[in-house]
Amino acid sequence: MKQRIKKYIRKLPKRRVQHFEGFCPNCEFPVNGKFCSNCGQSTKSFQRPFWTVVSESVGDALSVDNRLIHTLVPLFLKPGYLTREFMRGRRARYTPPFRLYLFLTFFAFLLLAYNHKPESAAAKELAIETDDGKKLDMVSFLEEMVKEEKHDVDSMKLDSLVKVDEKSGILTINVGKKNVAKDSLKGAEKNANSLIEDSKVKKLIEMWKLNPSLMMDNAFKKLSQTLLVILPLFALSLALLYIRRKHYMLEHLLISLNFHAYIFVLVIISELLLMLNVEFLNSLAIYLYLLIPIQLFLTMKFYYKQSWVKTFFKFVFVSFIYNILFFTGIIISLISMLA
C-alpha cells in the first residue's frame, strides 16, 4: 500500500521553484530572484494548472489574504488607525484602501442583489403591512397618486371676467380668448413641473411592472457608481471642515475610503444574517446600521484629535452634508435610469 502511494506521489507534478535566474520576459533585464528589479514583473510561470492561476490572480487582484484580517480588525476596533498607519508609511501588512473598498463593494452589492430579488407577488407589488394588519400595495398607491387630475374649466380671476361700471351700475362680462389665455397661463405654468415629475414616476412604475428584477439590478449598479462620486465629495467636506488643521487631502480621502469600507462590511454582515432567516437575527441585522454614525464620530474624534464638543458639532454638520449627498445621489440614479 505504501509503495503504491509513493509511486502515485512520484507521478504528481513537482512544485516549481519560485527562484528564477535569467532574463526578464518583459524587459529582457537580467533577473536573479522572484521579481525583475527593473520593471517589477513577477517571474512566475503560467504553464501550470488553470485553477492555481485563477486563485492566485484573484488573490492578487483583491488582496484576499492575511492582510485582509489585519485590515478588518483595526477597521472595526480602532477608528482612524488605518489612515494614521498609512500616512506613517506602514502599509505592507494592510490591504490597500481602494482595493479593499472595491472588493467590499462588489461583495456587498452581490449580496444585496441576491437577497432582495422581487420574486414573490408581494415583493413585485411592494406590498407593505400596516399596523391594522392590512396590506398596502405601494405600486397601485403610487399609480393613483400620479393620475392626471381633471383640471377646472378655468382658473381665471373673477375681476378679469366681470367688470362693473360704478357710475352706470352696468355689469359687463368679457369672455374673449385673449383674457382666457392670459389668466389660464399662470395656472398652466404652475402645473407644468408637477406634470413632468408625474410622468417620470409613471415611467418608473412601468419599468418596475415590466421587469422588477432588472430594475433592481440597475438601481444597485447606479447606486454603486453614485457612491464613487460621493467618496471624494465627502472627503472634500472634511477638508473644508478641518481646513485650519493643515491635513493633506489624501488623509481626508483615506478617511472617506475606510469609512465606506466599514459601511460595506456592516452591509455584508447584515445581509448574511438575513439569509439565515431567523427572526432575532433579522432584527439584529437592522440594528447593526446604528453603528455607522458611531464609527464616523469616533473616527473624527481620534484622528483629528479635537475636543468632544467640537467633534460633535462637526459630526452633525458632516452627517447633514453626507445625507444630502446620499439622497441626491439616489434621486440622480433614479433619473438616470429613465434616460
Side-chain angles (χ1 to χ4, degrees):
M1 185 68 180
K2 291 182 179 179
Q3 292 179 353
R4 289 182 181 178
I5 294 174
K6 287 180 180 179
K7 287 181 181 180
Y8 178 74
I9 292 174
R10 288 172 186 171
K11 291 180 181 179
L12 292 174
K14 293 181 180 180
R15 189 174 181 181
R16 293 180 180 272
V17 182
Q18 294 298 325
H19 188 79
F20 176 82
E21 291 184 9
F23 293 93
C24 175
N26 183 49
C27 63
E28 298 182 355
F29 192 81
V31 178
N32 186 8
K34 296 181 180 179
F35 298 92
C36 174
S37 59
N38 185 43
C39 66
Q41 179 173 285
S42 173
T43 58
K44 287 181 181 179
S45 173
F46 284 86
Q47 295 178 358
R48 49 205 168 103
F50 173 73
W51 292 112
T52 58
V53 176
V54 171
S55 62
E56 286 186 7
S57 300
V58 172
D60 292 339
L62 302 178
S63 191
V64 184
D65 50 19
N66 57 349
R67 290 192 297 172
L68 183 63
I69 299 173
H70 292 154
T71 305
L72 292 179
V73 172
L75 183 67
F76 264 82
L77 302 180
K78 297 180 180 179
Y81 177 79
L82 289 175
T83 304
R84 195 176 298 112
E85 287 286 283
F86 188 92
M87 296 307 297
R88 287 174 179 172
R90 302 170 185 170
R91 300 185 288 269
R93 63 176 304 182
Y94 304 110
T95 305
F98 191 68
R99 188 179 295 177
L100 177 69
Y101 171 83
L102 291 178
F103 168 67
L104 294 175
T105 304
F106 171 76
F107 196 30
F109 279 102
L110 189 68
L111 288 174
L112 283 169
Y114 178 79
N115 282 353
H116 301 283
K117 276 186 179 180
E119 295 177 349
S120 63
K124 291 179 180 180
E125 294 173 358
L126 294 177
I128 299 174
E129 190 172 346
T130 61
D131 296 334
D132 303 333
K134 298 179 180 179
K135 288 186 177 180
L136 178 63
D137 183 0
M138 289 300 296
V139 175
S140 302
F141 179 72
L142 289 171
E143 280 183 330
E144 291 178 3
M145 284 184 64
V146 298
K147 277 182 179 177
E148 292 182 5
E149 298 178 355
K150 293 181 179 179
H151 299 285
D152 296 333
V153 176
D154 214 341
S155 61
M156 298 179 295
K157 294 181 181 178
L158 186 62
D159 56 359
S160 66
L161 290 177
V162 181
K163 292 183 180 179
V164 181
D165 191 347
E166 295 180 358
K167 293 182 179 180
S168 61
I170 298 173
L171 184 140
T172 306
I173 299 176
N174 187 0
V175 291
K177 292 182 179 179
K178 292 182 179 180
N179 291 332
V180 173
K182 286 179 182 178
D183 292 318
S184 300
L185 186 59
K186 294 179 180 178
E189 288 176 353
K190 289 179 181 178
N191 294 326
N193 294 329
S194 62
L195 288 173
I196 292 170
E197 295 300 323
D198 289 350
S199 65
K200 289 182 178 179
V201 174
K202 282 181 180 179
K203 192 171 181 180
L204 284 173
I205 293 172
E206 289 174 2
M207 289 172 63
W208 179 266
K209 282 185 169 183
L210 188 64
N211 194 338
S213 298
L214 181 61
M215 184 179 174
M216 188 72 77
D217 291 339
N218 288 335
F220 285 137
K221 182 181 177 182
K222 295 291 183 182
L223 182 58
S224 63
Q225 294 171 355
T226 303
L227 287 173
L228 278 175
V229 179
I230 291 176
L231 263 172
L233 293 177
F234 180 63
L236 182 62
S237 65
L238 287 173
L240 294 174
L241 202 58
Y242 291 98
I243 193 169
R244 298 177 63 184
R245 304 289 293 182
K246 296 181 180 179
H247 288 285
Y248 292 104
M249 186 63 193
L250 178 61
E251 297 179 65
H252 306 298
L253 188 59
L254 289 171
I255 290 286
S256 181
L257 278 169
N258 290 326
F259 173 62
H260 284 86
Y262 177 84
I263 292 175
F264 284 123
V265 172
L266 288 183
V267 171
I268 291 168
I269 296 173
S270 176
E271 293 302 317
L272 290 175
L273 291 175
L274 289 174
M275 288 175 68
L276 298 176
N277 200 17
V278 180
E279 187 175 353
F280 169 74
L281 295 178
N282 290 345
S283 302
L284 179 62
I286 297 172
Y287 289 129
L288 277 177
Y289 291 105
L290 296 176
L291 296 173
I292 294 174
I294 298 174
Q295 174 74 6
L296 178 60
F297 176 72
L298 293 177
T299 300
M300 293 172 66
K301 172 68 181 86
F302 294 136
Y303 188 80
Y304 297 107
K305 295 181 180 180
Q306 288 189 325
S307 66
W308 290 96
V309 178
K310 279 186 178 181
T311 304
F312 175 75
F313 284 109
K314 289 186 177 183
F315 161 75
V316 172
F317 178 75
V318 167
S319 300
F320 177 72
I321 296 296
Y322 186 84
N323 287 327
I324 291 176
L325 291 173
F326 183 72
F327 288 110
T328 304
I330 291 176
I331 294 170
I332 292 172
S333 298
L334 291 173
I335 293 173
S336 64
M337 289 175 63
L338 301 176

